[in-house]
Amino acid sequence: MSVSATTITFQFSDGQPAQTHVAAAGESVLDVALNNGIQLQHNCGGVCGCSTCHVYINAGGDDLPEISDKEEDFIDRAENPRINSRLACQCVVDKDMQLVVTIPPQHFLGH
């Protein structure tokens, strides 16, 4: 019997090799990135007050909490928003999830 863990695979638009990290239930994608030395801007401190932690969810997005109106408003202000855009601070994982996330270029200060 195998025990399934929640993992997040971070892909980088700047060509860095992908990294996969284990996440605990209740952690956000932002938490996991920062805890593992992955640079991800978060000007508001992870409270859904800006768009700097904008990421693309490539797989596993259906298992995440539903997007709020507030999060959607900030995504509209993000650079190059897509249908799979989320704010990493709002993507809180549960157990037995496998997410694949792309971190877009972070050459801006954000809103």
XYZ file of all heavy atoms in Angstrom:
828
model
N 0.852 -1.186 0.000
C 0.000 0.000 0.000
C 0.894 1.245 0.000
O 1.795 1.367 0.814
C -0.873 -0.025 1.260
C -1.803 1.138 1.355
S -2.898 0.892 2.774
C -2.652 2.431 3.589
N 0.633 2.142 -0.911
C 1.457 3.354 -0.972
C 0.694 4.517 -0.353
O -0.513 4.627 -0.497
C 1.841 3.675 -2.409
O 0.700 4.064 -3.132
N 1.431 5.334 0.352
C 0.844 6.520 0.948
C 1.045 7.663 -0.032
O 2.156 7.950 -0.449
C 1.503 6.845 2.304
C 0.956 8.144 2.859
C 1.278 5.701 3.272
N -0.030 8.271 -0.410
C 0.027 9.348 -1.386
C 0.195 10.678 -0.668
O -0.487 10.953 0.300
C -1.267 9.309 -2.196
O -1.373 10.424 -3.001
N 1.138 11.457 -1.142
C 1.380 12.779 -0.547
C 0.938 13.850 -1.534
O 0.781 13.585 -2.723
C 2.864 12.942 -0.238
N 0.740 15.042 -1.018
C 0.466 16.172 -1.890
C 1.792 16.706 -2.401
O 2.711 16.968 -1.613
C -0.296 17.264 -1.129
O -1.582 16.755 -0.789
C -0.468 18.515 -1.982
N 1.896 16.831 -3.709
C 3.113 17.386 -4.298
C 2.755 18.558 -5.197
O 1.677 18.596 -5.789
C 3.889 16.349 -5.126
O 3.056 15.871 -6.177
C 4.379 15.203 -4.267
N 3.685 19.496 -5.260
C 3.561 20.624 -6.176
C 4.818 20.636 -7.031
O 5.926 20.690 -6.501
C 3.416 21.959 -5.431
C 2.214 21.932 -4.485
C 3.288 23.116 -6.442
C 2.100 23.164 -3.594
N 4.636 20.553 -8.335
C 5.756 20.673 -9.262
C 5.763 22.101 -9.780
O 4.772 22.562 -10.358
C 5.633 19.675 -10.426
O 5.637 18.354 -9.873
C 6.790 19.827 -11.406
N 6.855 22.788 -9.519
C 7.021 24.167 -9.966
C 7.797 24.164 -11.269
O 8.892 23.604 -11.345
C 7.788 24.993 -8.920
C 7.032 25.192 -7.641
C 7.179 24.319 -6.582
C 6.163 26.269 -7.498
C 6.483 24.512 -5.393
C 5.455 26.465 -6.317
C 5.618 25.585 -5.267
N 7.209 24.775 -12.292
C 7.887 24.971 -13.561
C 8.165 26.461 -13.689
O 7.414 27.279 -13.167
C 7.013 24.480 -14.718
C 6.694 23.006 -14.614
C 5.702 22.532 -15.661
O 4.830 23.276 -16.097
N 5.818 21.279 -16.046
N 9.243 26.782 -14.401
C 9.682 28.170 -14.468
C 9.740 28.630 -15.915
O 10.321 27.962 -16.764
C 11.064 28.313 -13.812
C 11.086 27.817 -12.390
C 11.419 26.502 -12.106
C 10.733 28.651 -11.348
C 11.424 26.031 -10.801
C 10.731 28.190 -10.037
C 11.073 26.880 -9.761
N 9.152 29.795 -16.179
C 9.128 30.306 -17.545
C 10.501 30.786 -17.997
O 10.712 31.007 -19.173
C 8.096 31.418 -17.683
O 8.308 32.382 -16.685
N 11.457 30.923 -17.052
C 12.786 31.397 -17.442
C 13.752 30.252 -17.755
O 14.942 30.470 -17.940
C 13.382 32.304 -16.362
C 13.640 31.577 -15.042
O 13.431 30.337 -14.980
O 14.053 32.239 -14.086
N 13.252 29.007 -17.787
C 14.082 27.895 -18.206
C 14.770 27.127 -17.086
O 15.445 26.137 -17.353
N 14.593 27.551 -15.832
C 15.151 26.761 -14.722
C 14.524 25.371 -14.754
O 13.373 25.213 -15.141
C 14.772 27.377 -13.371
C 15.414 28.670 -12.998
C 14.895 29.100 -11.614
O 15.107 28.419 -10.628
N 14.192 30.222 -11.575
N 15.266 24.353 -14.286
C 14.656 23.020 -14.216
C 13.488 22.994 -13.234
O 13.516 23.707 -12.225
C 15.794 22.110 -13.745
C 16.912 22.993 -13.346
C 16.647 24.385 -13.854
N 12.496 22.186 -13.516
C 11.329 22.063 -12.630
C 11.764 21.474 -11.300
O 12.742 20.737 -11.216
C 10.266 21.187 -13.282
N 11.019 21.823 -10.250
C 11.256 21.301 -8.906
C 9.934 20.774 -8.366
O 8.905 21.429 -8.497
C 11.735 22.401 -7.958
C 13.029 23.060 -8.309
C 13.388 24.136 -7.280
O 13.036 24.051 -6.106
N 14.100 25.157 -7.739
N 9.984 19.609 -7.724
C 8.787 19.053 -7.097
C 9.005 19.006 -5.593
O 10.054 18.555 -5.125
C 8.487 17.648 -7.638
O 8.277 17.742 -9.044
C 7.229 17.068 -6.986
N 8.020 19.506 -4.853
C 8.116 19.552 -3.397
C 6.837 19.001 -2.778
O 5.753 19.139 -3.343
C 8.339 20.991 -2.918
C 9.639 21.552 -3.392
N 10.847 21.192 -2.866
C 9.919 22.428 -4.387
C 11.820 21.824 -3.490
N 11.281 22.582 -4.425
N 6.970 18.408 -1.597
C 5.826 17.890 -0.849
C 5.192 19.050 -0.086
O 5.886 19.913 0.446
C 6.270 16.770 0.112
C 5.113 16.327 1.004
C 6.816 15.590 -0.675
N 3.870 19.071 -0.050
C 3.128 20.121 0.653
C 2.239 19.484 1.710
O 1.694 18.409 1.493
C 2.275 20.902 -0.335
N 2.102 20.174 2.830
C 1.191 19.725 3.884
C -0.192 20.309 3.632
O -0.319 21.426 3.127
C 1.708 20.182 5.242
N -1.229 19.565 4.001
C -2.596 20.072 3.884
C -2.690 21.392 4.637
O -2.165 21.529 5.740
C -3.587 19.064 4.440
N -3.308 22.390 4.014
C -3.463 23.698 4.635
C -2.420 24.706 4.199
O -2.566 25.891 4.454
N -1.348 24.241 3.533
C -0.343 25.173 3.021
C -0.804 25.725 1.676
O -1.499 25.047 0.926
C 1.001 24.467 2.802
C 1.791 24.211 4.052
C 3.196 23.706 3.748
O 3.332 22.722 2.998
O 4.137 24.304 4.273
N -0.366 26.937 1.384
C -0.649 27.495 0.063
C 0.526 27.216 -0.866
O 1.637 26.901 -0.417
C -0.887 29.003 0.156
O 0.333 29.674 0.447
N 0.280 27.343 -2.154
C 1.355 27.203 -3.135
C 2.467 28.212 -2.820
O 3.653 27.890 -2.914
C 0.806 27.380 -4.571
C 1.926 27.476 -5.595
C -0.141 26.225 -4.914
N 2.085 29.415 -2.402
C 3.082 30.423 -2.027
C 3.935 29.931 -0.857
O 5.164 30.042 -0.887
C 2.401 31.750 -1.679
C 3.325 32.875 -1.197
C 4.318 33.284 -2.280
C 2.501 34.082 -0.751
N 3.297 29.375 0.189
C 4.041 28.855 1.346
C 5.083 27.829 0.909
O 6.232 27.872 1.338
C 3.100 28.140 2.343
C 2.100 29.053 3.017
O 2.395 30.253 3.176
O 1.016 28.547 3.382
N 4.657 26.893 0.081
C 5.542 25.807 -0.341
C 6.704 26.358 -1.165
O 7.858 25.941 -0.992
C 4.755 24.724 -1.110
C 5.672 23.636 -1.638
C 3.684 24.121 -0.197
N 6.414 27.318 -2.040
C 7.486 27.931 -2.833
C 8.510 28.586 -1.904
O 9.717 28.315 -1.998
C 6.914 28.951 -3.807
N 8.047 29.431 -0.995
C 8.961 30.166 -0.121
C 9.719 29.242 0.821
O 10.914 29.445 1.076
C 8.194 31.223 0.677
C 7.511 32.310 -0.166
C 6.737 33.265 0.728
C 8.509 33.057 -1.033
N 9.060 28.199 1.320
C 9.709 27.253 2.231
C 10.801 26.446 1.542
O 11.631 25.828 2.211
C 8.684 26.288 2.839
C 7.753 26.979 3.813
O 8.037 28.073 4.294
N 6.627 26.353 4.088
N 10.788 26.420 0.209
C 11.763 25.641 -0.544
C 12.697 26.515 -1.370
O 13.322 26.042 -2.317
C 11.034 24.612 -1.428
C 10.424 23.519 -0.582
O 11.119 22.645 -0.091
N 9.118 23.584 -0.366
N 12.780 27.787 -1.008
C 13.746 28.675 -1.649
C 13.404 29.091 -3.062
O 14.274 29.542 -3.804
N 12.131 28.937 -3.447
C 11.699 29.355 -4.786
C 11.270 30.814 -4.707
O 10.436 31.179 -3.882
C 10.556 28.465 -5.292
C 11.077 27.033 -5.480
C 9.969 29.013 -6.584
C 9.996 26.022 -5.770
N 11.861 31.625 -5.547
C 11.545 33.052 -5.562
C 10.161 33.254 -6.167
O 9.927 32.916 -7.327
C 12.572 33.793 -6.422
C 13.990 33.709 -5.895
C 14.307 34.863 -4.969
O 14.145 36.011 -5.324
N 14.775 34.544 -3.785
N 9.251 33.763 -5.381
C 7.919 34.098 -5.860
C 7.505 35.373 -5.140
O 7.414 35.400 -3.914
C 6.923 32.963 -5.578
C 5.495 33.155 -6.070
C 5.437 33.507 -7.556
C 4.665 31.908 -5.809
N 7.304 36.439 -5.898
C 6.968 37.718 -5.289
C 5.650 37.617 -4.530
O 4.758 36.860 -4.908
C 6.873 38.809 -6.362
C 8.215 39.138 -6.970
C 8.116 40.295 -7.949
O 7.236 41.132 -7.860
N 9.041 40.333 -8.885
N 5.550 38.394 -3.469
C 4.339 38.387 -2.630
C 4.291 39.709 -1.859
O 4.428 39.743 -0.651
C 4.325 37.176 -1.692
C 5.564 37.018 -0.866
N 6.774 36.631 -1.407
C 5.797 37.207 0.449
C 7.677 36.604 -0.456
N 7.112 36.951 0.694
N 4.091 40.785 -2.603
C 4.166 42.129 -2.024
C 3.198 42.349 -0.870
O 3.489 43.105 0.043
C 3.935 43.196 -3.100
C 5.089 43.267 -4.088
O 6.088 42.556 -3.953
N 4.958 44.107 -5.091
N 2.035 41.706 -0.901
C 1.054 41.947 0.165
C 1.239 41.004 1.346
O 0.474 41.063 2.302
C -0.370 41.839 -0.390
S -0.907 40.139 -0.690
N 2.214 40.114 1.258
C 2.426 39.170 2.352
C 1.526 37.953 2.286
O 1.400 37.217 3.257
N 0.895 37.725 1.148
C 0.083 36.526 0.982
C -1.325 36.625 1.524
O -1.876 35.631 1.982
N -1.915 37.819 1.449
C -3.276 37.996 1.984
C -4.290 38.375 0.896
O -5.320 38.948 1.195
C -3.299 39.046 3.118
C -2.478 38.575 4.306
C -2.805 40.398 2.634
N -3.987 38.053 -0.354
C -4.875 38.368 -1.476
C -5.104 39.878 -1.573
O -6.219 40.356 -1.697
C -6.203 37.616 -1.385
S -7.138 37.584 -2.951
N -3.988 40.637 -1.489
C -4.072 42.082 -1.579
C -3.319 42.653 -2.767
O -3.170 43.864 -2.878
N -2.804 41.788 -3.644
C -2.093 42.257 -4.840
C -2.091 41.122 -5.860
O -2.739 40.105 -5.654
C -0.665 42.704 -4.506
S 0.481 41.380 -4.036
N -1.342 41.272 -6.928
C -1.302 40.219 -7.950
C 0.109 39.681 -8.173
O 0.355 38.991 -9.146
C -1.864 40.750 -9.273
O -1.044 41.802 -9.759
N 1.045 39.968 -7.254
C 2.441 39.622 -7.527
C 2.739 38.131 -7.434
O 3.740 37.679 -7.972
C 3.411 40.392 -6.605
O 3.058 40.147 -5.251
C 3.371 41.881 -6.895
N 1.916 37.340 -6.745
C 2.175 35.895 -6.668
C 1.374 35.119 -7.712
O 1.125 33.925 -7.571
C 1.904 35.366 -5.254
S 0.165 35.332 -4.772
N 1.019 35.785 -8.794
C 0.267 35.190 -9.900
C 1.028 34.001 -10.485
O 2.218 34.093 -10.763
C 0.071 36.293 -10.958
C -0.449 35.808 -12.258
N 0.192 36.076 -13.453
C -1.538 35.088 -12.573
C -0.492 35.536 -14.443
N -1.541 34.933 -13.926
N 0.340 32.874 -10.632
C 0.908 31.674 -11.247
C -0.118 31.071 -12.201
O -1.294 31.440 -12.198
C 1.308 30.610 -10.188
C 2.437 31.122 -9.295
C 0.117 30.152 -9.355
N 0.352 30.123 -13.010
C -0.529 29.345 -13.884
C -0.618 27.928 -13.323
O 0.401 27.291 -13.065
C 0.014 29.292 -15.312
C 0.217 30.654 -15.933
C 1.478 31.077 -16.344
C -0.856 31.526 -16.121
C 1.664 32.326 -16.920
C -0.676 32.778 -16.690
C 0.587 33.172 -17.088
O 0.768 34.412 -17.645
N -1.836 27.441 -13.141
C -2.052 26.083 -12.653
C -2.243 25.194 -13.879
O -3.244 25.298 -14.581
C -3.299 26.001 -11.740
C -3.219 27.014 -10.591
C -3.497 24.575 -11.238
C -2.125 26.758 -9.579
N -1.268 24.321 -14.147
C -1.303 23.483 -15.345
C -1.993 22.151 -15.120
O -2.498 21.551 -16.057
C 0.123 23.230 -15.850
C 0.823 24.529 -16.166
O 0.238 25.447 -16.695
N 2.081 24.615 -15.795
N -1.978 21.669 -13.872
C -2.637 20.399 -13.556
C -3.045 20.436 -12.094
O -2.356 21.040 -11.265
C -1.690 19.230 -13.810
N -4.181 19.812 -11.797
C -4.652 19.723 -10.419
C -5.512 20.886 -9.969
O -5.968 20.917 -8.834
N -5.753 21.849 -10.829
C -6.501 23.045 -10.451
C -7.925 22.782 -10.007
O -8.456 23.530 -9.190
N -8.522 21.704 -10.509
C -9.905 21.407 -10.127
C -10.023 21.006 -8.658
O -11.101 21.056 -8.078
C -10.471 20.279 -10.998
C -10.691 20.732 -12.434
O -10.683 21.959 -12.690
O -10.859 19.855 -13.310
N -8.899 20.594 -8.055
C -8.912 20.191 -6.651
C -8.717 21.365 -5.696
O -8.853 21.220 -4.493
C -7.797 19.164 -6.388
C -8.049 17.862 -7.140
O -9.229 17.519 -7.360
O -7.064 17.203 -7.498
N -8.363 22.534 -6.236
C -8.114 23.710 -5.393
C -9.427 24.366 -4.984
O -10.454 24.195 -5.641
C -7.262 24.728 -6.162
C -5.808 24.326 -6.385
C -5.158 25.278 -7.379
C -5.049 24.313 -5.068
N -9.390 25.171 -3.904
C -10.594 25.936 -3.540
C -11.025 26.818 -4.706
O -10.187 27.275 -5.484
C -10.138 26.786 -2.356
C -8.892 26.148 -1.848
C -8.265 25.437 -3.013
N -12.324 27.038 -4.795
C -12.852 27.870 -5.882
C -12.302 29.291 -5.793
O -12.065 29.805 -4.704
C -14.379 27.891 -5.788
C -15.039 28.268 -7.092
C -16.528 27.959 -7.079
O -16.898 26.851 -6.644
O -17.300 28.840 -7.504
N -12.121 29.905 -6.932
C -11.576 31.260 -6.992
C -12.612 32.248 -6.461
O -13.802 32.150 -6.758
C -11.149 31.582 -8.440
C -10.338 32.862 -8.496
C -12.330 31.626 -9.381
C -9.609 33.052 -9.816
N -12.162 33.190 -5.642
C -13.073 34.196 -5.082
C -13.152 35.395 -6.028
O -12.286 35.583 -6.889
C -12.574 34.657 -3.716
O -11.362 35.390 -3.861
N -14.167 36.215 -5.835
C -14.295 37.441 -6.640
C -13.086 38.344 -6.420
O -12.575 38.951 -7.360
C -15.576 38.199 -6.276
C -16.829 37.463 -6.735
O -16.728 36.571 -7.615
O -17.915 37.775 -6.213
N -12.629 38.428 -5.176
C -11.476 39.284 -4.855
C -10.232 38.794 -5.601
O -9.501 39.584 -6.198
C -11.239 39.274 -3.347
C -10.126 40.189 -2.889
C -10.016 40.173 -1.367
C -8.874 41.055 -0.884
N -8.687 40.974 0.562
N -9.993 37.472 -5.554
C -8.836 36.915 -6.264
C -8.952 37.181 -7.757
O -7.977 37.558 -8.410
C -8.723 35.410 -5.988
C -7.520 34.786 -6.676
C -7.411 33.280 -6.467
O -8.256 32.686 -5.753
O -6.475 32.695 -7.041
N -10.146 36.993 -8.301
C -10.368 37.224 -9.736
C -10.059 38.674 -10.118
O -9.458 38.939 -11.158
C -11.809 36.871 -10.091
C -11.958 36.355 -11.481
C -13.205 35.499 -11.666
O -13.991 35.310 -10.705
O -13.375 35.031 -12.785
N -10.442 39.615 -9.259
C -10.154 41.033 -9.523
C -8.655 41.284 -9.606
O -8.186 42.015 -10.476
C -10.752 41.925 -8.421
C -12.266 42.020 -8.506
O -12.839 41.646 -9.558
O -12.876 42.459 -7.515
N -7.883 40.678 -8.700
C -6.430 40.873 -8.730
C -5.804 40.176 -9.931
O -4.862 40.701 -10.535
C -5.786 40.415 -7.420
C -5.976 41.408 -6.318
C -6.734 41.096 -5.202
C -5.409 42.673 -6.393
C -6.926 42.021 -4.182
C -5.592 43.609 -5.377
C -6.355 43.282 -4.273
N -6.318 39.016 -10.305
C -5.792 38.321 -11.488
C -5.997 39.175 -12.727
O -5.131 39.222 -13.606
C -6.419 36.920 -11.627
C -5.841 35.998 -10.547
C -6.167 36.348 -13.023
C -6.526 34.669 -10.434
N -7.120 39.889 -12.791
C -7.366 40.775 -13.936
C -6.279 41.836 -14.072
O -6.044 42.353 -15.157
C -8.730 41.465 -13.808
C -9.883 40.503 -14.052
O -9.654 39.420 -14.628
O -11.014 40.841 -13.651
N -5.622 42.179 -12.964
C -4.552 43.185 -12.991
C -3.172 42.568 -13.201
O -2.186 43.296 -13.319
C -4.526 43.956 -11.673
C -5.835 44.641 -11.374
C -5.757 45.336 -10.038
N -7.073 45.363 -9.434
C -7.327 45.845 -8.238
N -6.352 46.319 -7.498
N -8.550 45.848 -7.759
N -3.080 41.254 -13.166
C -1.795 40.577 -13.327
C -1.309 40.696 -14.773
O -2.087 40.958 -15.685
C -1.927 39.102 -12.938
N -0.026 40.465 -14.948
C 0.558 40.492 -16.289
C 0.230 39.172 -16.995
O 0.456 38.095 -16.446
C 2.076 40.657 -16.161
C 2.739 41.030 -17.460
C 4.184 41.440 -17.231
O 4.405 42.465 -16.569
O 5.068 40.717 -17.709
N -0.323 39.261 -18.200
C -0.665 38.088 -19.019
C -1.556 37.067 -18.307
O -1.223 35.891 -18.247
C 0.605 37.385 -19.526
C 1.447 38.293 -20.385
O 0.922 39.037 -21.193
N 2.752 38.249 -20.202
N -2.711 37.506 -17.772
C -3.589 36.519 -17.135
C -4.132 35.533 -18.166
O -4.333 35.876 -19.326
C -4.711 37.372 -16.537
C -4.708 38.632 -17.327
C -3.289 38.848 -17.784
N -4.328 34.311 -17.734
C -4.874 33.241 -18.579
C -6.035 32.585 -17.850
O -6.260 32.838 -16.672
C -3.803 32.179 -18.863
C -2.593 32.702 -19.587
C -1.601 31.570 -19.830
N -0.347 32.093 -20.340
C 0.801 31.438 -20.287
N 0.865 30.242 -19.727
N 1.897 31.966 -20.781
N -6.696 31.684 -18.546
C -7.838 30.984 -17.952
C -7.404 30.163 -16.733
O -8.184 29.954 -15.809
C -8.554 30.100 -19.015
C -9.918 29.639 -18.511
C -7.708 28.936 -19.454
C -10.983 30.687 -18.606
N -6.134 29.722 -16.694
C -5.649 28.906 -15.576
C -4.846 29.715 -14.565
O -4.110 29.168 -13.756
C -4.817 27.722 -16.090
C -3.563 28.152 -16.840
O -3.489 29.252 -17.381
N -2.576 27.280 -16.896
N -4.999 31.055 -14.594
C -4.294 31.913 -13.641
C -4.909 31.812 -12.254
O -6.132 31.757 -12.108
C -4.373 33.378 -14.089
O -3.584 33.602 -15.224
N -4.033 31.801 -11.246
C -4.457 31.883 -9.846
C -3.422 32.695 -9.091
O -2.317 32.921 -9.574
C -4.546 30.481 -9.206
C -5.638 29.559 -9.723
C -7.053 29.996 -9.398
N -7.338 30.180 -7.991
C -7.974 29.313 -7.214
N -8.401 28.173 -7.703
N -8.191 29.586 -5.933
N -3.768 33.104 -7.876
C -2.795 33.708 -6.976
C -2.291 32.597 -6.063
O -3.086 31.887 -5.435
C -3.434 34.836 -6.160
C -3.987 36.005 -6.972
C -4.578 37.055 -6.030
C -2.914 36.625 -7.859
N -0.976 32.450 -6.006
C -0.391 31.333 -5.246
C -0.796 31.367 -3.780
O -0.936 30.327 -3.143
C 1.128 31.346 -5.387
N -1.031 32.576 -3.225
C -1.415 32.675 -1.808
C -2.813 32.128 -1.561
O -3.164 31.816 -0.420
C -1.301 34.118 -1.313
S -2.516 35.261 -2.016
N -3.621 32.013 -2.610
C -5.008 31.556 -2.456
C -5.185 30.090 -2.834
O -6.274 29.537 -2.685
C -5.940 32.414 -3.313
C -5.970 33.869 -2.887
C -6.398 34.039 -1.441
O -7.530 33.747 -1.086
N -5.478 34.489 -0.594
N -4.128 29.459 -3.333
C -4.183 28.045 -3.729
C -3.755 27.192 -2.547
O -2.583 26.827 -2.408
C -3.274 27.798 -4.929
S -3.805 28.660 -6.404
N -4.695 26.900 -1.661
C -4.422 26.118 -0.457
C -4.678 24.650 -0.774
O -5.742 24.295 -1.286
C -5.305 26.594 0.716
C -5.098 25.722 1.948
C -5.006 28.059 1.025
N -3.684 23.819 -0.473
C -3.777 22.411 -0.843
C -4.399 21.583 0.268
O -4.396 21.963 1.434
C -2.392 21.828 -1.221
C -1.808 22.595 -2.393
C -1.440 21.823 -0.038
N -4.929 20.448 -0.142
C -5.456 19.455 0.770
C -4.581 18.212 0.603
O -3.618 18.233 -0.159
C -6.921 19.157 0.424
C -7.716 18.674 1.629
O -7.088 18.257 2.635
O -8.953 18.693 1.568
N -4.926 17.130 1.264
C -4.093 15.940 1.115
C -4.389 15.242 -0.214
O -5.461 15.404 -0.794
C -4.263 15.003 2.296
C -5.681 14.565 2.577
C -5.698 13.700 3.830
C -7.040 13.072 4.027
N -7.978 13.766 4.846
N -3.397 14.485 -0.669
C -3.509 13.678 -1.885
C -3.788 14.498 -3.139
O -4.643 14.126 -3.949
C -4.586 12.590 -1.734
C -4.314 11.689 -0.545
O -3.141 11.549 -0.168
O -5.270 11.130 0.007
N -3.102 15.596 -3.283
C -3.235 16.419 -4.488
C -1.900 16.445 -5.227
O -0.841 16.388 -4.606
C -3.630 17.861 -4.134
C -5.033 18.001 -3.589
S -5.389 19.689 -2.995
C -5.249 20.654 -4.476
N -1.977 16.522 -6.534
C -0.780 16.712 -7.346
C -1.016 17.938 -8.214
O -1.888 17.925 -9.082
C -0.495 15.482 -8.232
C 0.258 14.368 -7.517
C -0.554 13.664 -6.446
O -1.674 13.246 -6.690
N 0.000 13.524 -5.256
N -0.252 18.990 -7.946
C -0.380 20.228 -8.706
C 0.846 20.418 -9.578
O 1.956 20.057 -9.181
C -0.481 21.440 -7.781
C -1.707 21.607 -6.911
C -1.590 22.881 -6.085
C -2.962 21.658 -7.747
N 0.627 21.011 -10.738
C 1.729 21.467 -11.582
C 1.486 22.946 -11.835
O 0.411 23.336 -12.320
C 1.803 20.684 -12.911
C 2.957 21.202 -13.763
C 1.963 19.189 -12.647
N 2.464 23.761 -11.448
C 2.332 25.214 -11.445
C 3.460 25.817 -12.266
O 4.609 25.398 -12.130
C 2.437 25.734 -9.986
C 2.424 27.244 -9.939
C 1.334 25.159 -9.122
N 3.146 26.793 -13.117
C 4.198 27.545 -13.802
C 4.282 28.931 -13.191
O 3.264 29.619 -13.039
C 3.908 27.679 -15.316
O 3.916 26.370 -15.897
C 4.960 28.541 -16.011
N 5.503 29.328 -12.842
C 5.750 30.676 -12.333
C 6.137 31.543 -13.531
O 7.148 31.280 -14.178
C 6.855 30.677 -11.270
C 6.397 29.825 -10.074
C 7.182 32.112 -10.845
C 7.417 29.700 -8.963
N 5.306 32.548 -13.845
C 5.607 33.399 -14.998
C 6.803 34.312 -14.718
O 7.265 34.386 -13.575
C 4.323 34.204 -15.199
C 3.609 34.158 -13.903
C 4.068 32.930 -13.176
N 7.295 35.019 -15.721
C 8.397 35.955 -15.487
C 8.017 36.955 -14.395
O 6.885 37.419 -14.345
C 8.564 36.679 -16.829
C 7.909 35.797 -17.831
C 6.838 35.039 -17.108
N 8.948 37.254 -13.522
C 8.679 38.156 -12.396
C 9.598 39.379 -12.476
O 10.349 39.653 -11.563
C 8.899 37.441 -11.080
C 7.946 36.283 -10.903
C 8.068 35.708 -9.522
O 7.549 36.272 -8.559
N 8.770 34.616 -9.405
N 9.511 40.087 -13.554
C 10.388 41.230 -13.778
C 9.671 42.547 -13.517
O 10.086 43.602 -13.934
C 10.910 41.226 -15.214
C 9.823 41.109 -16.219
N 9.020 42.172 -16.577
C 9.350 40.030 -16.894
C 8.112 41.763 -17.451
N 8.300 40.475 -17.653
N 8.559 42.486 -12.788
C 7.754 43.676 -12.549
C 7.473 43.767 -11.068
O 7.654 42.804 -10.332
C 6.434 43.565 -13.328
C 5.641 42.346 -12.940
C 4.662 42.407 -11.965
C 5.902 41.123 -13.544
C 3.969 41.280 -11.597
C 5.204 39.985 -13.150
C 4.242 40.065 -12.187
N 7.025 44.900 -10.603
C 6.735 45.081 -9.185
C 5.307 44.698 -8.816
O 5.012 44.421 -7.684
C 7.007 46.537 -8.772
C 8.470 46.911 -8.835
C 8.651 48.393 -8.523
C 9.269 46.092 -7.827
N 4.413 44.696 -9.784
C 3.037 44.296 -9.503
C 2.211 45.440 -8.935
O 2.664 46.555 -8.830
N 0.975 45.104 -8.571
C 0.013 46.117 -8.115
C -0.202 46.010 -6.622
O -0.294 44.958 -6.099
C -1.323 45.914 -8.837
C -1.202 45.965 -10.308
N -1.228 47.135 -11.018
C -1.008 44.987 -11.228
C -1.084 46.865 -12.301
N -0.952 45.579 -12.434
